[in-house]
Amino acid sequence: MRARMALKYAGIDLEHREIELRNKPKSMLLLSPKGTVPVLCVDGFVLEQSLDIMRWALMKSDPEGWAQVDEKTSQFWVNQNDGPFKVLLDQYKYLNRHPDLTVGDVLEAALDQMLVPMEEVLASSQYILGDRMTYVDIAIFPFVRQFAMVDLQRFATLPLSSTQKWLERHLQSDLFQSVMHKYPSWHD
């Protein structure tokens, strides 16, 4: 989702191929043997990580200056998201795969690691790095969205009013709505 949003924002036209992960086309595996999505192939150049795709898109076009950020602070947030928070998100989504964990344990760790620090920042600004959107918001948004969707009612009761407003702003945005089109599965 974050790669799609960055590509759309940058105005990059592409041929979208929706992949069934249970039935990966051979052409995709030839480009990217690891078999994960997203994969971007441009003139024989292959990018296999969503953050790399975002950075590539922003190098091509960045009309609102999403990439003009303090690199140390932005890297902190992306590392927190893609590291510890991603692990906790997977545990939260697939708790049955982690019999040694409880919902409460995972939720408390997610709050400590990511959601409360976000809340503290968003209490005084609309976006994670200030009062304008940057690539950091887009890089983190899909993961917070997934976390919230595990149990929407529980998420709504958490003391995260600023984070919930931030999430809702992204969910209602034209950019998000424009990339949520359902595509038929692509086959070789």
Side-chain angles (χ1 to χ4, degrees), residues 98-161:
H98 305 277
D100 55 320
L101 298 174
T102 67
V103 170
D105 293 337
V106 176
L107 185 56
E108 183 177 328
L111 285 163
D112 290 344
Q113 286 286 323
M114 187 73 174
L115 298 174
V116 169
M118 278 183 67
E119 180 65 19
E120 290 169 354
V121 166
L122 292 169
S124 61
S125 63
Q126 283 195 344
Y127 300 100
I128 293 172
L129 298 182
D131 288 323
R132 67 177 184 86
M133 187 168 357
T134 68
Y135 86 92
V136 174
D137 295 282
I138 300 305
I140 292 172
F141 155 68
F143 297 86
V144 175
R145 175 182 174 262
Q146 285 182 50
F147 195 89
M149 289 179 62
V150 171
D151 187 339
L152 287 170
Q153 289 179 330
R154 175 177 279 149
F155 192 79
T157 67
L158 297 174
L160 302 171
S161 62

Side-chain angles (χ1 to χ4, degrees), residues 41-97:
C41 179
V42 179
D43 300 326
F45 179 67
V46 177
L47 293 172
E48 302 173 291
Q49 298 293 328
S50 59
L51 274 174
D52 293 338
I53 294 169
M54 288 183 76
R55 288 183 179 112
W56 176 86
L58 295 175
M59 285 188 334
K60 295 292 182 189
S61 175
D62 188 2
E64 296 173 20
W66 280 11
Q68 296 170 8
V69 296
D70 173 70
E71 197 53 43
K72 186 177 179 181
T73 305
S74 60
Q75 199 58 50
F76 165 80
W77 283 106
V78 170
N79 288 346
Q80 281 296 104
N81 182 73
D82 288 21
F85 187 64
K86 173 71 167 88
V87 170
L88 292 165
L89 169 61
D90 290 341
Q91 292 171 346
Y92 195 53
K93 284 171 58 174
Y94 309 111
L95 195 62
N96 61 329
R97 296 179 188 170

Side-chain angles (χ1 to χ4, degrees), residues 154-168:
R154 175 177 279 149
F155 192 79
T157 67
L158 297 174
L160 302 171
S161 62
S162 298
T163 303
Q164 291 159 351
K165 288 176 190 169
W166 173 88
L167 177 61
E168 190 60 28

